[in-house]
Amino acid sequence: MRFIFVHGTGVRRERFDDLFRWIRGGLDERFPDADVAPCYWGDIFGSSLSAGGASVPGVATTRGADDPGETEAAEWVLLLTDPFCELRVLSALGSVDDGLGMPGVQSVGERVADSIRKVPRDLSSDSFDADELTVLLQDTNVIEGYSAALDALMDSDEFRDACAAAHDDFAAAELTTAASRAIVALLLSGAGESVVCTGDERDRMVDLLSSRIGGTARGPVLRASGVLVKLGLRWAPQSVLDRKRGEFTSAGASAVGDILRYQARGGPLRDHLAELIGQSPEPPVVIGHSLGGIALVDALALAAVRQQPLSVRLLVTVGSQAPFLHELGALAGLPPGATLPPGFPRWLNIYDRRDVLSYLAGPVFSGDPRVSDHEVHSRQPFPISHSAYWKLGAVYDRIGEALQ
């Protein structure tokens, strides 16, 4: 019995040799006399960065560690994740109470809260004389959340605690700026992908809100910022991401690039597979992992549609996206919504629901007796689950059952 293994995306020679060793061992245990043939296509039909990654910003040059935009980006990463984080830090830092507060006299924090409470909630961008803040909120697609953001701030424990910790004019200015930044963070994070906002627009919103509340434009340098910048820089420093972008893109180019290249220029790989299958001395069992499964489904379907079906004993796809691509109408071998043509072989599709790149074929080709799905369990999270199949005895056992 002859088996042909076709690897998936991003695999190159060293990785392929490791995978093939496991696959050949698993098949040899169950089919001692089997001929297991490799189909390595990564070097010939896979992708590469032909210009050495020249299209990637940051490959030729890097930004310095003292990039002034880095600290700003670090702060806003945290604010967009937790809009009240600065207020929480302010309340923890507090300010020294000089003990001169008069009974019955509004405290500093209460004064800021009262100012925010009096800020008008209803804004109309349709008005001829709409103010700058209203126009800016509209232009950035966040105006619908404005009233809710103000209410969320006033209702938060973080704001109440920060108000209670403010005891002097500097603390009041600091609180006003932090509250304004929290409101803007609520607006931006709440609007999600509909936001269209530059850093300049974001900062201007903070300035206008601070002024409306009663503070000064841009406000003081927040004590909380020093704490948050250190945390933000450790968590998601933009400059580090920029400097790493070239390395990351180069390392991931084969994984994503193989998919894109196949979708654009997959004919040569499909022709290679058809030739390899046609040269087999007997109808082989063809096993395709991930993109390898897509290419096999395409090659077999195209041959069958042309009424020149390839002689295959069994098609096995493992962790494959072929059914999903057919749902999208993106399979080269089958028109959108088409059924499998006569002459297409029996198809065993093996998946692991923890592998987010594996899909079901049976429901997509409902009623076709040639198609069957089989679930295995690697007990590994993604992405490890996407390659763990080859160490699972259940994969080889199910192939054996399908061949009986």
Side-chain angles (χ1 to χ4, degrees):
M1 187 179 302
R2 183 174 177 81
F3 294 86
I4 299 175
F5 171 67
V6 185
H7 68 81
T9 182
V11 174
R12 294 300 182 261
R13 173 55 69 180
E14 184 176 356
R15 173 65 171 157
F16 177 81
D17 290 343
D18 287 339
L19 290 173
F20 187 69
R21 183 173 64 253
W22 285 105
I23 291 162
R24 183 168 56 189
L27 291 172
D28 284 347
E29 286 184 10
R30 291 154 182 82
F31 308 95
D33 299 325
D35 172 21
V36 184
C39 176
Y40 173 67
W41 53 264
D43 289 338
I44 301 174
F45 303 108
S47 65
S48 62
L49 292 171
S50 60
S55 62
V56 183
V59 171
T61 60
T62 60
R63 299 166 66 184
D66 58 349
D67 176 12
E70 180 177 356
T71 56
E72 182 181 52
E75 289 178 300
W76 280 96
V77 164
L78 294 178
L79 281 166
L80 292 175
T81 304
D82 179 3
F84 300 134
C85 60
E86 280 184 339
L87 292 168
R88 191 177 298 112
V89 173
L90 277 183
S91 64
L93 292 174
S95 64
V96 178
D97 188 352
D98 57 15
L100 298 179
M102 300 294 292
V105 177
Q106 193 177 46
S107 70
V108 167
E110 290 170 345
R111 187 170 70 243
V112 174
D114 191 51
S115 296
I116 297 176
R117 193 175 294 111
K118 292 176 180 178
V119 170
R121 278 0 185 218
D122 297 327
L123 300 177
S124 175
S125 59
D126 297 329
S127 173
F128 177 77
D129 61 347
D131 64 15
E132 183 183 356
L133 178 59
T134 300
V135 173
L136 188 53
L137 293 173
Q138 178 68 33
D139 287 346
T140 53
N141 288 338
V142 299
I143 194 168
E144 291 185 2
Y146 177 67
S147 179
L150 288 171
D151 291 339
L153 174 75
M154 296 299 297
D155 292 339
S156 68
D157 292 335
E158 290 86 350
F159 179 65
R160 284 192 288 268
D161 292 343
C163 287
H167 299 295
D168 54 37
D169 289 341
F170 178 83
E174 195 176 38
L175 176 58
T176 298
T177 301
S180 301
R181 284 158 65 91
I183 293 169
V184 172
L186 285 166
L187 290 171
L188 295 177
S189 61
E193 295 182 359
S194 65
V195 172
V196 183
C197 181
T198 67
D200 289 341
E201 289 174 318
R202 177 199 65 206
D203 293 343
R204 185 58 180 158
M205 280 190 274
V206 173
D207 291 347
L208 292 170
L209 278 168
S210 295
S211 178
R212 181 166 291 195
I213 294 169
T216 57
R218 198 58 62 99
V221 176
L222 297 180
R223 290 175 296 156
S225 294
V227 177
L228 295 177
V229 165
K230 291 179 181 178
L231 178 59
L233 289 175
R234 294 179 64 182
W235 185 33
Q238 185 63 43
S239 66
V240 172
L241 295 178
D242 290 343
R243 292 194 296 272
K244 290 286 187 179
R245 183 175 174 184
E247 176 185 336
F248 172 79
T249 303
S250 298
S254 60
V256 177
D258 285 355
I259 299 171
L260 297 176
R261 180 163 180 165
Y262 175 79
Q263 290 297 104
R265 297 180 176 83
L269 175 55
R270 292 191 291 269
D271 292 342
H272 176 70
L273 293 176
E275 181 180 3
L276 192 62
I277 293 170
Q279 292 174 348
S280 178
E282 60 178 293
V285 177
V286 289
I287 304 174
H289 181 220
S290 193
L291 180 58
I294 296 172
L296 281 171
V297 170
D298 275 339
L300 293 168
L302 284 169
V305 167
R306 295 166 182 161
Q307 298 185 352
Q308 298 175 334
L310 297 169
S311 182
V312 167
R313 182 169 181 178
L314 176 69
L315 164 66
V316 182
T317 56
V318 180
S320 181
Q321 306 84 50
F324 179 63
L325 289 185
H326 186 48
E327 276 204 273
L328 294 175
L331 272 186
L334 291 172
T339 58
L340 294 174
F344 193 89
R346 287 190 302 125
W347 179 5
L348 170 62
N349 179 62
I350 296 176
Y351 72 99
D352 181 344
R353 66 183 62 227
R354 293 184 182 273
D355 172 16
V356 300
L357 294 179
S358 66
Y359 294 87
L360 294 169
V364 177
F365 301 98
S366 180
D368 192 325
R370 293 172 293 180
V371 181
S372 61
D373 294 309
H374 181 73
E375 182 176 8
V376 296
H377 305 279
S378 68
R379 297 176 53 245
Q380 285 281 30
F382 182 81
I384 299 174
S385 56
H386 190 54
S387 297
Y389 296 98
W390 310 118
K391 288 190 174 182
L392 297 177
V395 169
Y396 306 102
D397 291 342
R398 184 64 186 89
I399 293 174
E401 292 171 6
L403 291 172
Q404 288 180 356

Short mmCIF file of all heavy atoms in Angstrom, two decimals, residues 63-67 70 233 236-244:
data_model
loop_
_atom_site.label_atom_id
_atom_site.label_comp_id
_atom_site.label_asym_id
_atom_site.label_seq_id
_atom_site.Cartn_x
_atom_site.Cartn_y
_atom_site.Cartn_z
N ARG A 63 13.59 52.48 15.25
CA ARG A 63 13.35 53.65 16.08
C ARG A 63 14.08 53.45 17.41
O ARG A 63 14.19 52.36 17.92
CB ARG A 63 11.86 53.82 16.32
CG ARG A 63 11.07 54.01 15.04
CD ARG A 63 9.59 53.84 15.27
NE ARG A 63 9.06 54.89 16.13
CZ ARG A 63 7.80 54.93 16.55
NH1 ARG A 63 6.96 54.00 16.18
NH2 ARG A 63 7.39 55.91 17.33
N GLY A 64 14.56 54.53 17.96
CA GLY A 64 15.32 54.45 19.19
C GLY A 64 14.45 54.16 20.39
O GLY A 64 13.24 54.37 20.37
N ALA A 65 15.09 53.71 21.47
CA ALA A 65 14.34 53.39 22.68
C ALA A 65 13.77 54.62 23.34
O ALA A 65 12.87 54.52 24.16
CB ALA A 65 15.26 52.66 23.66
N ASP A 66 14.30 55.82 22.96
CA ASP A 66 13.80 57.04 23.58
C ASP A 66 12.73 57.71 22.74
O ASP A 66 12.50 58.91 22.84
CB ASP A 66 14.95 58.01 23.82
CG ASP A 66 15.70 58.37 22.53
OD1 ASP A 66 15.44 57.70 21.51
OD2 ASP A 66 16.51 59.32 22.56
N ASP A 67 12.11 56.96 21.87
CA ASP A 67 11.04 57.49 21.02
C ASP A 67 9.98 58.16 21.90
O ASP A 67 9.38 57.50 22.75
CB ASP A 67 10.44 56.33 20.23
CG ASP A 67 9.25 56.75 19.39
OD1 ASP A 67 9.04 57.97 19.23
OD2 ASP A 67 8.55 55.85 18.90
N GLU A 70 6.60 56.48 22.36
CA GLU A 70 6.48 55.19 23.03
C GLU A 70 5.74 55.30 24.35
O GLU A 70 4.86 54.50 24.66
CB GLU A 70 7.86 54.58 23.25
CG GLU A 70 7.80 53.22 23.94
CD GLU A 70 9.17 52.61 24.09
OE1 GLU A 70 10.15 53.19 23.59
OE2 GLU A 70 9.26 51.54 24.71
N LEU A 233 5.03 50.09 29.27
CA LEU A 233 6.23 49.78 28.50
C LEU A 233 6.64 48.33 28.66
O LEU A 233 7.20 47.71 27.75
CB LEU A 233 7.38 50.70 28.91
CG LEU A 233 7.25 52.17 28.49
CD1 LEU A 233 8.40 52.97 29.08
CD2 LEU A 233 7.22 52.30 26.99
N ALA A 236 3.31 46.31 26.56
CA ALA A 236 3.16 46.38 25.11
C ALA A 236 3.88 47.60 24.53
O ALA A 236 3.24 48.51 24.05
CB ALA A 236 1.69 46.43 24.74
N PRO A 237 5.19 47.65 24.62
CA PRO A 237 5.91 48.81 24.11
C PRO A 237 5.85 48.89 22.58
O PRO A 237 6.28 47.96 21.90
CB PRO A 237 7.35 48.59 24.58
CG PRO A 237 7.45 47.11 24.75
CD PRO A 237 6.09 46.63 25.15
N GLN A 238 5.34 49.99 22.04
CA GLN A 238 5.20 50.10 20.59
C GLN A 238 6.55 50.09 19.90
O GLN A 238 6.70 49.51 18.84
CB GLN A 238 4.44 51.37 20.25
CG GLN A 238 4.13 51.52 18.76
CD GLN A 238 3.23 50.41 18.25
OE1 GLN A 238 2.27 50.04 18.90
NE2 GLN A 238 3.57 49.86 17.09
N SER A 239 7.54 50.75 20.50
CA SER A 239 8.84 50.81 19.83
C SER A 239 9.46 49.43 19.72
O SER A 239 10.13 49.11 18.74
CB SER A 239 9.79 51.77 20.55
OG SER A 239 10.12 51.28 21.83
N VAL A 240 9.25 48.60 20.75
CA VAL A 240 9.77 47.24 20.67
C VAL A 240 9.05 46.48 19.57
O VAL A 240 9.65 45.74 18.79
CB VAL A 240 9.59 46.52 22.03
CG1 VAL A 240 9.94 45.04 21.88
CG2 VAL A 240 10.49 47.15 23.08
N LEU A 241 7.72 46.68 19.47
CA LEU A 241 6.97 46.04 18.40
C LEU A 241 7.47 46.51 17.04
O LEU A 241 7.59 45.72 16.11
CB LEU A 241 5.48 46.35 18.54
CG LEU A 241 4.79 45.79 19.78
CD1 LEU A 241 3.33 46.22 19.81
CD2 LEU A 241 4.89 44.27 19.83
N ASP A 242 7.77 47.80 16.93
CA ASP A 242 8.28 48.32 15.68
C ASP A 242 9.62 47.69 15.33
O ASP A 242 9.86 47.29 14.19
CB ASP A 242 8.45 49.84 15.76
CG ASP A 242 7.11 50.57 15.79
OD1 ASP A 242 6.11 49.94 15.43
OD2 ASP A 242 7.09 51.74 16.18
N ARG A 243 10.50 47.60 16.32
CA ARG A 243 11.82 47.04 16.04
C ARG A 243 11.75 45.55 15.75
O ARG A 243 12.58 45.03 15.02
CB ARG A 243 12.76 47.31 17.23
CG ARG A 243 13.10 48.78 17.42
CD ARG A 243 14.28 48.92 18.38
NE ARG A 243 13.98 48.46 19.72
CZ ARG A 243 13.44 49.23 20.67
NH1 ARG A 243 13.11 50.48 20.39
NH2 ARG A 243 13.22 48.76 21.86
N LYS A 244 10.77 44.90 16.31
CA LYS A 244 10.63 43.45 16.10
C LYS A 244 9.82 43.13 14.85
O LYS A 244 9.73 41.96 14.46
CB LYS A 244 9.94 42.82 17.31
CG LYS A 244 10.77 42.79 18.59
CD LYS A 244 11.85 41.74 18.50
CE LYS A 244 12.57 41.57 19.83
NZ LYS A 244 13.62 40.54 19.76
#
